[in-house]
Amino acid sequence: MTDARQVIDNEVKSNDVVLFMKGTPQFPMCGFSGQVVQILNYLGVPFKGINVLEDEAIRQGIKDYSNWPTIPQLYVKGEFIGGCDITREMFQAGELQQLFADKGIKLQQSA
Amino acid sequence: MPMDARDIEAMIKAALPDARVEIKDLAGDGDHYAATVISEAFKGKARVQQHQMVYAALQGRMGGTLHALALTTQAPDN
């Protein structure tokens, strides 16, 4: 395992909800990343954002890790859920809310 | 380098011959697209797998040449 892969694997496994994104949850640097942040914030899901723009090894490594060519990438309890389009579709269908409930992720009261 | 919408459609149809493909140029710049792909091949597949199948059809261009393709996939309704 390369260093980047180990770092990624550790983040995915030690955080309930992780979003690999461009920019930070406070300042997304890409519209797709921003959309996923908005959805998670709307639902009141606590999550860790990892800015791939800060580390080229992570940026490429996460694509190899999931065999998924784009960023953002959402992981819940170690499972790869999808990118922006899938997250949005699931949210609109109520499936994302169900997923968090099924996985026992506690939602905070959204502001 | 941007990709032409017709090329995207042709690549998807080469891999998924029955697919109905609709591509919109979101920004009019030949670089930001939204694609809807409907194919029998998606039946019984999870969304992640459906998107993977389209990405495979695009042979590595997704995330590189094509950095902004919003994707919607589904199996036909009936």
Side-chain angles (χ1 to χ4, degrees):
Chain A
M1 232 192 254
T2 63
D3 287 351
R5 194 180 173 88
Q6 222 149 21
V7 169
I8 290 165
D9 197 53
N10 184 51
E11 295 285 8
V12 165
K13 287 177 178 161
S14 59
N15 294 288
D16 280 353
V17 185
V18 193
L19 181 66
F20 289 83
M21 62 180 291
K22 293 180 179 172
T24 65
Q26 289 71 36
F27 293 101
M29 300 292 283
C30 153
F32 294 113
S33 291
Q35 277 185 42
V36 178
V37 167
Q38 272 191 340
I39 289 169
L40 295 176
N41 284 342
Y42 179 83
L43 293 176
V45 179
F47 69 99
K48 178 167 184 184
I50 295 174
N51 183 2
V52 303
L53 298 178
E54 282 181 351
D55 189 335
E56 188 56 38
I58 299 290
R59 183 175 185 171
Q60 183 55 47
I62 193 63
K63 297 179 185 178
D64 300 334
Y65 183 81
S66 55
N67 188 30
W68 189 262
T70 57
I71 288 155
Q73 296 187 14
L74 179 66
Y75 293 79
V76 178
K77 294 255 170 139
E79 185 193 339
F80 175 52
I81 303 303
C84 171
D85 300 320
I86 287 177
T87 304
R88 193 185 54 238
E89 276 178 56
M90 289 180 71
F91 168 65
Q92 287 167 348
E95 293 169 23
L96 193 63
Q97 296 84 325
Q98 190 61 48
L99 175 92
F100 288 126
D102 291 347
K103 300 238 179 207
I105 308 278
K106 286 211 180 74
L107 308 185
Q108 293 165 350
Q109 200 65 32
S110 29
Chain B
M1 197 172 61
M3 240 179 118
D4 192 272
R6 274 169 303 186
D7 296 337
I8 299 171
E9 181 173 348
M11 290 189 82
I12 294 172
K13 283 195 167 163
L16 304 164
D18 78 305
R20 294 217 311 270
V21 181
E22 189 187 323
I23 295 178
K24 277 189 212 149
D25 188 337
L26 292 177
D29 61 357
D31 204 19
H32 295 77
Y33 295 106
T36 303
V37 183
I38 301 171
S39 168
E40 290 283 347
F42 295 148
K43 270 202 175 134
K45 300 271 203 306
R47 284 203 178 92
V48 169
Q49 292 172 302
Q50 295 178 5
H51 283 222
Q52 291 279 28
M53 290 163 74
V54 176
Y55 292 160
L58 294 170
Q59 296 173 20
R61 284 171 179 76
M62 192 67 199
T65 315
L66 263 180
H67 72 270
L69 176 68
L71 188 59
T72 307
T73 56
Q74 63 184 79
D77 284 336
N78 44 35

